[in-house]
Amino acid sequence: MYILAVTGGIACGKTVVSYEIRKFGAEVVSADHFVYDLSEPGQPIYNAYVEHFGKEILSEDGKLDRRSIACIVFNDPNEKRWVDRTTHPMILNCIRQELVDIQSRGVPIAVLDVPLLFEAGWEYLADEIWVVWVNRKRQFRRLMYRNQISYLEAFARINAQMPLDEKRARADTVINNAKTRYDLKKKVQRLMLAKFPYLKRQGPSIEEEEAEYLAMHAERKAVLAVAKMGVDFESQVNDDD
């Protein structure tokens, strides 16, 4: 089984790349997925956070308030180090177990989607490393829009990671995500066909997927625009309209 790691900075497009590779028959092993699972009430990360930070980091429904935790962690290097020391062994254990399971099923390629691959020192897990890179200005804009956070919050999160240029220097392959989602997926397709010519991309074409994505994105923007005008969207629109 070939293990391909996809990494980069926050809001650079790693997930799009990983799931495009998945169309070629690969299976994605997402570090973030394990973090979410382990952070559910009663799970190891949840219990460790509550014991360390106290119940102040819980939301009204009893779950972890990720934004509150982020404000603490990304503004205090000591807390960031504690989080890394505490969570990384848990996440690594899940990743290893998942890789063993994937290999036992005869899957040809496993994709490690790990944002902190270099920071955690997990490069040894992969046969090859792809870094998704964007310039700093575009990274800020994407993160602020995606997470609906301020410039200062985005600054703290980005600066808590290894600089993207350093990651780029350590990569086997660099994917410059300077343009559109469509352009990014086409780049991945070309790389996959060049490296694994015996694999075929499955499912709808990139063009069909992009058309569906753009339609959903346009609908979301329209709903947000209505909300910003102070209109109760649900009460103003009838099913018969």
Side-chain angles (χ1 to χ4, degrees):
M1 181 178 70
Y2 198 81
I3 301 177
L4 177 60
V6 176
T7 190
I10 188 171
C12 288
K14 299 180 299 298
T15 301
V16 173
V17 170
S18 294
Y19 279 86
E20 178 57 28
I21 298 173
R22 187 180 187 179
K23 297 295 176 64
F24 288 84
E27 287 206 20
V28 177
V29 180
S30 169
D32 285 345
H33 173 78
F34 293 127
V35 171
Y36 283 118
D37 284 350
L38 294 168
S39 298
E40 287 296 308
Q43 295 302 310
I45 289 180
Y46 177 95
N47 293 338
Y49 279 13
V50 172
E51 181 179 349
H52 181 76
F53 295 114
K55 294 185 177 181
E56 292 77 12
I57 48 91
L58 298 180
S59 57
E60 292 183 358
D61 61 3
K63 294 187 175 183
L64 295 177
D65 185 337
R66 300 182 189 281
R67 189 160 186 170
S68 295
I69 295 170
C71 287
I72 297 171
V73 172
F74 293 119
N75 288 287
D76 187 332
N78 290 326
E79 296 290 13
K80 177 68 166 57
R81 282 190 288 271
W82 177 86
V83 165
D84 290 346
R85 288 196 309 270
T86 302
T87 63
H88 285 182
M90 302 178 192
I91 300 165
L92 181 59
N93 184 53
C94 291
I95 289 174
R96 284 174 167 164
Q97 290 180 3
E98 186 72 7
L99 287 174
V100 169
D101 178 61
I102 291 173
Q103 186 171 29
S104 70
R105 289 187 276 109
V107 177
I109 304 172
V111 181
L112 290 181
D113 185 342
V114 184
L116 302 180
L117 184 81
F118 293 121
E119 290 91 333
W122 294 346
E123 309 93 293
Y124 69 91
L125 293 171
D127 296 301
E128 185 175 346
I129 300 173
W130 291 6
V131 166
V132 187
W133 183 91
V134 296
N135 66 51
R136 193 169 173 85
K137 183 177 180 180
R138 186 178 294 269
Q139 185 183 16
F140 266 92
R141 186 164 60 245
R142 285 178 173 169
L143 179 57
M144 291 169 66
Y145 174 78
R146 187 191 73 184
N147 289 36
Q148 294 296 292
I149 59 176
S150 69
Y151 171 81
L152 291 178
E153 289 176 294
F155 181 87
R157 297 188 187 196
I158 290 172
N159 274 24
Q161 296 185 346
M162 181 184 292
L164 264 176
D165 286 341
E166 185 174 344
K167 292 186 178 186
R168 177 171 62 176
R170 297 171 66 173
D172 295 303
T173 297
V174 178
I175 303 174
N176 187 345
N177 185 15
K179 297 182 180 179
T180 64
R181 177 189 176 96
Y182 174 81
D183 179 73
L184 177 61
K185 294 176 80 170
K186 292 295 285 187
K187 285 182 178 179
V188 175
Q189 185 181 60
R190 287 193 292 269
L191 285 169
M192 290 298 293
L193 291 174
K195 187 164 188 66
F196 307 103
Y198 53 89
L199 297 178
K200 290 185 178 181
R201 188 180 186 276
Q202 305 163 3
S205 69
I206 292 178
E207 288 75 14
E208 290 171 327
E209 291 177 349
E210 186 66 9
E212 182 179 357
Y213 169 78
L214 291 175
M216 292 174 59
H217 187 64
E219 182 178 350
R220 178 174 178 268
K221 287 182 68 174
V223 172
L224 290 175
V226 171
K228 285 182 179 180
M229 290 188 292
V231 177
D232 182 347
F233 186 77
E234 294 295 336
S235 67
Q236 296 296 322
V237 179
N238 297 320
D239 290 336
D240 295 334
D241 287 350

